């Protein structure tokens, strides 16, 4: 459990830094997610965090509205999820997932982890910030994204794969698999 909670803490810290760096006039900027602003990406992350808890019959406390304070809304949700993951009893709540029996912690680790990294890139890109993904995160995520394959192409997940040159760096390959252009 400690590994999952620690990994979440690290990934959430990187995302928090990006969210805190969004200039006030860039929250309405388009993100790489079609039809979503930078603020919409944060709202999605907050909703998905609540959705992961709900899979195990749990809930996260309601926080500030993302519409008026996306930074505070994100920090509230981040802290609530961290508290859940730091509690082995709640984190190990099991449920029947799309790929079979699993736990809230495992889903948070795999799917929230992916979203923290990728949507961090989306937020940075939409806000005009440095969008470099830490190389260790790319190295960890790339095999998982390849393994997910066509499951990424389900409605509302990722767009079509974007072809990239064979000699592209791993971040560009990852983004291409996720339907994003660098």
């Amino acid at each position: 459990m400690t590994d999952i909670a620690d990994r979440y803490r690290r990934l959430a810290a990187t995302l928090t830094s990006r969210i805190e760096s969004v200039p006030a006039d860039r929250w309405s900027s388009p993100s790489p997610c079609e039809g979503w602003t930078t603020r919409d990406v944060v709202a999605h992350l907050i909703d998905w965090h609540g959705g992961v808890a709900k899979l195990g019959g749990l809930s996260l406390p309601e926080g500030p509205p993302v519409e008026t304070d996306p930074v505070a809304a994100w920090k509230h949700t981040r802290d609530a999820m961290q508290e859940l993951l730091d509690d082995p009893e709640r984190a190990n709540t099991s449920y029947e997932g799309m790929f079979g029996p699993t736990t809230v912690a495992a889903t948070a680790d795999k799917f929230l982890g992916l979203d923290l990294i990728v949507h961090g890139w989306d937020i940075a890109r939409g806000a005009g910030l440095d969008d470099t993904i830490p190389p260790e995160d790319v190295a960890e995520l790339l095999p998982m994204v390849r393994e997910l394959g066509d499951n990424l192409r389900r409605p509302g997940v990722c767009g079509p794969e974007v072809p990239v040159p064979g000699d592209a760096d791993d971040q560009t390959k990852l983004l291409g698999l996720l339907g994003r252009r660098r």
Side-chain angles (χ1 to χ4, degrees), residues 39 42-43 46 62-74 76:
R39 183 186 314 269
V42 176
I46 290 168
E62 190 133 346
V66 72
E67 296 80 18
T68 57
D69 193 344
V71 176
W74 162 247
H76 173 83

Side-chain angles (χ1 to χ4, degrees), residues 19-177:
I19 290 173
E20 290 174 333
S21 298
V22 174
D25 64 342
R26 296 301 295 259
W27 285 110
S28 296
S29 297
S31 79
C33 301
E34 189 176 332
W36 285 5
T37 65
T38 302
R39 183 186 314 269
D40 293 335
V41 176
V42 176
H44 163 73
L45 284 164
I46 290 168
D47 289 346
W48 180 219
H49 274 65
V52 168
K54 190 175 182 178
L55 291 169
L58 306 172
S59 63
L60 299 180
E62 190 133 346
V66 72
E67 296 80 18
T68 57
D69 193 344
V71 176
W74 162 247
K75 287 180 175 181
H76 173 83
T77 299
R78 174 204 63 199
D79 292 348
M81 181 55 73
Q82 189 66 63
E83 185 179 312
L84 186 156
L85 293 173
D86 285 338
D87 177 353
E89 185 176 322
R90 291 171 59 213
N92 285 318
T93 301
S94 61
Y95 72 95
E96 189 63 35
M98 188 168 87
F99 301 108
T102 190
T103 65
V104 170
T107 300
D109 193 37
K110 189 168 188 172
F111 297 107
L112 282 183
L114 180 138
D115 268 17
L116 291 173
I117 294 167
V118 175
H119 287 315
W121 182 86
D122 294 328
I123 289 166
R125 193 74 162 186
L129 305 171
D130 176 12
D131 62 11
T132 304
I133 299 172
E136 64 272 15
D137 294 341
V138 172
E140 191 172 305
L141 202 53
L142 192 55
M144 183 184 88
V145 167
R146 285 181 173 139
E147 182 182 315
L148 286 171
D150 287 340
N151 285 306
L152 292 170
R153 309 291 160 235
R154 295 165 21 115
V157 181
C158 290
E161 183 175 340
V162 173
V164 299
D167 63 349
D169 62 78
D170 284 347
Q171 178 173 321
T172 302
K173 289 176 185 175
L174 173 65
L175 294 169
L177 288 169

